[in-house]
Amino acid sequence: MSEAVREAPKKQRPVIRNVSITDITTNYKQPPSALVSILHRISGFGMFLLLPFILYLLQESLRSEISFAHFKGVVDNVFVKIILLGLSWAYLHHFTAGIRHLFMDNHMALDKAASQKTARWVLVISLALTVLVGLKLFGVF
């Protein structure tokens, strides 16, 4: 080995550490577009996971008058209403984020400012629609 190679200063290598879930929630602030993307995936997974439950409820509501009465009894449970509200949010968020992605596929709202603005709108619209569904589900109107 030559003298110059041995005397060359050693570069300091960056320290890479594992990131835990608590680091993500406390130390890193995600932009709205990242939150929409993460929630889009979570909502899609949640809808896929609870699809058998929804199909069961659909079957119970359509089979006969007796099964419809059973359906009404199941849906009157507060826990089931909370699950249905969560599924409603998942659908509404996934739908509005999907519309946003369709616009982005057509090369609209691709710059940073417009992307963040549309992401905020997705969050606001999906939550507002979920509140309306929740009010109807819990019998406010």
Side-chain angles (χ1 to χ4, degrees):
M1 203 180 300
S2 71
E3 194 69 30
V5 172
R6 272 187 249 144
E7 292 178 7
K10 298 267 183 183
K11 283 181 23 176
Q12 290 290 341
R13 295 189 177 258
V15 176
I16 299 173
R17 62 183 186 89
N18 291 333
V19 178
S20 69
I21 191 71
T22 57
D23 289 337
I24 292 173
T25 58
T26 57
N27 297 336
Y28 298 101
K29 180 163 173 35
Q30 300 289 335
S33 57
L35 290 174
V36 167
S37 176
I38 292 167
L39 291 174
H40 186 73
R41 293 165 194 242
I42 291 171
S43 64
F45 179 72
M47 287 188 302
F48 174 75
L49 194 65
L50 292 173
L51 186 63
F53 176 66
I54 292 297
L55 291 176
Y56 167 74
L57 289 179
L58 178 65
Q59 173 188 340
E60 288 298 304
S61 71
L62 295 175
R63 195 168 28 170
S64 68
E65 290 181 22
I66 296 171
S67 67
F68 182 74
H70 181 256
F71 164 78
K72 283 176 61 176
V74 169
V75 174
D76 279 340
N77 188 346
V78 174
F79 182 67
V80 173
K81 285 184 180 184
I82 291 171
I83 291 173
L84 289 174
L85 185 63
L87 277 169
S88 299
W89 168 82
Y91 171 74
L92 292 167
H93 178 80
H94 205 77
F95 182 77
T96 53
I99 291 173
R100 176 179 178 258
H101 283 290
L102 287 175
F103 278 103
M104 293 171 68
D105 286 344
N106 288 308
H107 305 286
M108 294 183 225
L110 290 178
D111 60 299
K112 186 176 179 181
S115 175
Q116 302 305 325
K117 186 176 180 181
T118 58
R120 285 186 190 96
W121 275 110
V122 165
L123 293 171
V124 167
I125 290 170
S126 65
L127 287 176
L129 291 173
T130 303
V131 166
L132 288 174
V133 168
L135 292 174
K136 180 67 176 171
L137 187 64
F138 285 98
V140 173
F141 59 89

